[in-house]
Amino acid sequence: MKKRTAVFWLCIALVICLVSAVGASFVQTNFGHVTIRDLRFETASGHTMSALLLVPDNATPETPAPAIVCSHGWYNNREMQDLNYVEYARRGFVVLSIDMYGHGNSENLPTGEWWNPENNANGMYDAVQMMAGLPFVDASRIGVTGHSNGALASRTAVLLDNEAAEPLIAAALLVSNDAVYTDEEGAYYNMFGSRDAGIVACQYDEFFHRVSLPDGSRSVCRDYIDQATAQSFLHFGQDPAGLEARSSYTMYTEQIDGEESIRVIYNPAITHPWAHFSKGVVTSSVEFFDAALDAPIKIDGSNQIWQFKAFFNAIGLVGFVMFAVNLALVLLDSKVFGSLKAAAPVQPAPALTGKRRSWFWVSNLLATLFSILVYMIGYSYIGKLRPAFLPQAPVFFIGVWSLLCGLFALVLIWVGGKLNGQEDTVANGVRISGAKLGKTVVLALVVAAASYGLVFAADYFFKTDFRLWVLPLKAFTADKLPIIAMYLPFFLVYYICNSISINSYSYFQLGKKSWGNITALAVFNGLASLIMIVIIYGCFFATGRLPNEFLPWFGGSIIGIWLYPIVVILPVAAVVSRILYKHTRNPYLAGIIMALLVTTMSCTNTLTQL
């Protein structure tokens, strides 16, 4: 690629990232009618909380508005609630979207202490108390909601509010989690009192909305609406035996302590994580809070614009990858890094024949099978090996899985050499001098730092980031840097080995098109993740149960969710590595860049435990 071409595409990438940030900002501010503030504040429980505060124009000290505190689920952060806070603020609600403790940029807490009463529902009740003191908030109309563990935080906040001298919560919507249906004696009861309350119970929720059955098994979540727990909730805590069955998507009302109260269950046919990327769930959510808190601005629930923010955020991801690749290519033409550039673009080897061709397909299938077995079976064992100084359990599991897959790739390369003859490791770039490797590391660090600089710029100037559902690139605080450094070696092994395998040993003519080879390798890179998703959710949709319910050693309830971003990242990594290899004959550059970016993304978007 000519230098001018790389510069051109680098500029295009910058434009795309700018359009992403500006467009997302316009949508989330309702085109200038909502002010967004990035908060860090000391809470009543004595911890630092990070949150986004959205204040619509209608909310003033003279005309205080109702408010909603919302929270993400486990392993997520405040921006994952963007579909909700965009729509709530459009309708005139003041909104606070929090990072629960241990998540995002909020303070970390020791393992197991999140739900201690002194920590105020992992920060949710702290946020409610803060909101109640704002002059532009109507403290008599505060709602809480959250997804998954954010719903648990909302539920816990209600229980704390029940004990308060002056209760503050007027409404609660639990998304993808359960209410408390029975008291300590096992009798059905109404935990919400006279508050309005709703539950979003996804029919394919991987975790919640089940009860124990007489045979010792558990019910399936798609039958939740027919369970006694759901019916008791809709009957305001009564024992539902002998009562008329109630339905989903109907708001039932009853006089409780002299106030008319609402109970409703929404029952969409979606999975647990899809609830925070669902138009239907947003429709239900805004309709519930309009009924419960009386939205100042009346907009039909199906009238939504958050999808445009998701679009702009998503093109930012594209711009980010384009920027990283083309910045590397531009810097390769500089005096400092010019020695890393190949004398001429690397060309593919001739098409494979005979046993070499057979080994290519067999080795890729073996790598896929190994990846599936380690992921699905290893989940039950790998987590038990995590040392205390590595504070992020999900990243540890994915990191160890990646490490083992990377090492297995080296085994396959060794076996291939024995079967087909050794490759020239100088010609294919595997053998590299210490000086070149040092420059490679420096160039990778510069590219990764500059690329994340775009994320920080978007956050600073526009309060946005680059994300699509479970693929998030967000700004982070300095305390994450040591954590990134601790997990980086796991991902370095995988992405370097993967780049070596794809480029140094598998770059040959495949089919009539020049892109045939990298297309096949990109597919193989993501194939194991895709197959596992099909297995897990094919079983779930067919039976209502996950595979681990039949085979306890076969994965866990959350591992399917963790595969969603991986099935995108790995094919992209293959393409990025090939582009850079063709210009450098250096398989290490792309491997180190991808390891830096993926480790940073992983460590800044999960739960950090002390």
Side-chain angles (χ1 to χ4, degrees):
M1 183 182 290
K2 295 180 180 179
K3 180 178 180 180
R4 284 182 297 177
T5 304
V7 171
F8 171 79
W9 286 110
L10 184 66
C11 293
I12 293 297
L14 286 169
V15 170
I16 290 173
C17 290
L18 180 61
V19 169
S20 168
V22 172
S25 177
F26 276 150
V27 175
Q28 72 181 11
T29 61
N30 195 22
F31 308 98
H33 294 291
V34 173
T35 300
I36 298 184
R37 300 169 185 165
D38 188 349
L39 304 184
R40 303 287 189 280
F41 59 97
E42 193 77 6
T43 64
S45 58
H47 305 297
T48 301
M49 172 166 282
S50 163
L52 290 173
L53 177 66
L54 291 85
V55 185
D57 289 346
N58 57 280
T60 68
E62 294 73 31
T63 58
I68 301 171
V69 179
C70 54
S71 177
H72 55 84
W74 228 223
Y75 310 127
N76 295 138
N77 51 64
R78 64 190 189 179
E79 288 83 5
M80 290 298 284
Q81 282 288 304
D82 60 353
L83 73 170
N84 291 317
Y85 62 63
V86 165
E87 298 303 332
Y88 296 156
R90 280 183 73 208
R91 290 160 174 80
F93 293 104
V94 179
V95 188
L96 190 70
S97 183
I98 67 171
D99 280 332
M100 288 192 292
Y101 299 134
H103 297 78
N105 297 323
S106 287
E107 184 177 329
N108 301 328
L109 296 183
T111 302
E113 293 188 10
W114 305 293
W115 308 111
N116 290 356
E118 63 270 20
N119 291 323
N120 278 341
N122 207 17
M124 173 61 82
Y125 201 51
D126 285 328
V128 170
Q129 291 172 324
M130 192 278 282
M131 286 283 268
L134 296 177
F136 44 81
V137 166
D138 181 351
S140 68
R141 292 188 290 163
I142 296 178
V144 294
T145 186
H147 175 260
S148 190
N149 272 276
L152 173 58
S154 301
R155 182 184 85 191
T156 307
V158 169
L159 296 174
L160 292 173
D161 201 47
N162 286 340
E163 305 299 321
E166 296 183 15
L168 297 172
I169 299 173
L173 179 67
L174 312 184
V175 181
S176 297
N177 209 322
D178 283 289
V180 176
Y181 306 104
T182 57
D183 61 20
E184 294 180 355
E185 284 72 41
Y188 290 105
Y189 91 120
N190 173 20
M191 68 161 285
F192 295 98
S194 60
R195 299 176 187 86
D196 298 316
I199 297 174
V200 176
C202 303
Q203 293 183 35
Y204 297 98
D205 193 293
E206 290 91 331
F207 309 100
F208 302 107
H209 314 304
R210 305 178 185 194
V211 297
S212 297
L213 299 176
D215 63 0
S217 66
R218 299 172 68 211
S219 64
V220 295
C221 49
R222 61 193 181 196
D223 294 337
Y224 170 73
I225 192 65
D226 299 319
Q227 295 167 8
T229 49
Q231 289 298 311
S232 174
F233 172 80
L234 291 177
H235 282 281
F236 296 82
Q238 296 182 70
D239 186 334
L243 299 177
E244 180 182 2
R246 291 186 167 179
S247 305
S248 57
Y249 293 94
T250 300
M251 289 190 183
Y252 297 96
T253 60
E254 188 170 312
Q255 289 288 321
I256 304 291
D257 297 332
E259 297 183 29
E260 185 173 78
S261 302
I262 296 171
R263 295 292 180 272
V264 60
I265 290 175
Y266 305 101
N267 205 205
I270 58 175
T271 63
H272 181 89
W274 195 253
H276 51 56
F277 204 73
S278 164
K279 179 179 180 179
V281 171
V282 174
T283 299
S284 299
S285 180
V286 296
E287 289 179 352
F288 169 78
F289 280 115
D290 184 18
L293 302 177
D294 189 18
I297 301 172
K298 302 300 181 183
I299 302 174
D300 185 82
S302 62
N303 182 335
Q304 300 173 20
I305 64 171
W306 66 269
Q307 296 93 337
F308 294 104
K309 180 179 183 295
F311 167 77
F312 283 116
N313 286 152
I315 65 171
L317 285 172
V318 176
F320 178 90
V321 175
M322 288 177 58
F323 178 86
V325 171
N326 287 284
L327 178 61
L329 296 177
V330 169
L331 291 176
L332 285 169
D333 284 311
S334 68
K335 291 182 179 180
V336 176
F337 300 109
S339 61
L340 296 177
K341 189 173 182 180
V346 181
Q347 298 301 318
L352 300 182
T353 58
K355 63 180 182 179
R356 286 181 176 271
R357 180 176 59 188
S358 299
W359 177 247
F360 170 77
W361 296 109
V362 169
S363 63
N364 276 285
L365 290 172
L366 287 173
T368 299
L369 179 61
F370 180 84
S371 179
I372 292 171
L373 291 175
V374 171
Y375 192 89
M376 299 298 288
I377 299 175
Y379 175 75
S380 301
Y381 305 99
I382 291 173
K384 299 174 183 178
L385 304 175
R386 181 175 65 88
F389 65 85
L390 290 175
Q392 296 180 344
V395 185
F396 179 77
F397 170 66
I398 299 297
V400 172
W401 172 58
S402 300
L403 171 70
L404 294 174
C405 289
L407 294 176
F408 188 68
L410 293 183
V411 171
L412 293 175
I413 289 171
W414 180 81
V415 172
K418 292 294 184 181
L419 293 175
N420 304 314
Q422 299 294 334
E423 299 278 350
D424 184 341
T425 56
V426 173
N428 65 16
V430 173
R431 188 181 301 177
I432 186 172
S433 69
K436 280 195 171 183
L437 182 59
K439 279 192 176 183
T440 299
V441 171
V442 173
L443 177 54
L445 286 168
V446 170
V447 169
S451 300
Y452 253 90
L454 295 178
V455 180
F456 280 90
D459 175 75
Y460 182 81
F461 291 106
F462 301 102
K463 300 295 184 293
T464 64
D465 56 15
F466 306 137
R467 66 176 52 237
L468 179 64
W469 192 28
V470 291
L471 271 172
L473 295 169
K474 73 183 297 291
F476 55 90
T477 47
D479 63 297
K480 300 299 187 298
L481 290 174
I483 298 173
I484 293 168
M486 286 191 288
Y487 283 100
L488 181 60
F490 296 99
F491 294 95
L492 278 172
V493 170
Y494 173 77
Y495 282 101
I496 289 174
C497 292
N498 186 248
S499 181
I500 289 173
S501 176
I502 286 173
N503 298 299
S504 301
Y505 292 93
S506 302
Y507 185 23
F508 59 89
Q509 187 66 37
L510 182 63
K512 296 181 179 179
K513 302 295 183 179
S514 61
W515 42 261
N517 174 271
I518 190 57
T519 299
L521 290 165
V523 169
F524 272 119
N525 245 26
L527 185 59
S529 300
L530 181 61
I531 289 173
M532 286 187 280
I533 290 172
V534 171
I535 290 173
I536 292 168
Y537 288 97
C539 176
F540 198 19
F541 295 145
T543 68
R545 302 182 189 278
L546 293 165
N548 61 288
E549 296 184 60
F550 301 103
L551 304 170
W553 48 266
F554 195 74
S557 300
I558 200 169
I559 62 173
I561 296 170
W562 288 345
L563 288 168
Y564 295 161
I566 296 170
V567 80
V568 176
I569 291 170
L570 294 186
V572 171
V575 174
V576 168
S577 71
R578 175 58 54 80
I579 292 172
L580 295 181
Y581 181 78
K582 287 174 67 175
H583 289 83
T584 63
R585 201 183 297 273
N586 179 344
Y588 301 96
L589 178 60
I592 297 171
I593 289 173
M594 287 303 303
L596 287 166
L597 297 180
V598 172
T599 307
T600 302
M601 181 177 71
S602 302
C603 292
T604 56
N605 287 280
T606 191
L607 167 66
T608 301
Q609 302 164 290
L610 293 179

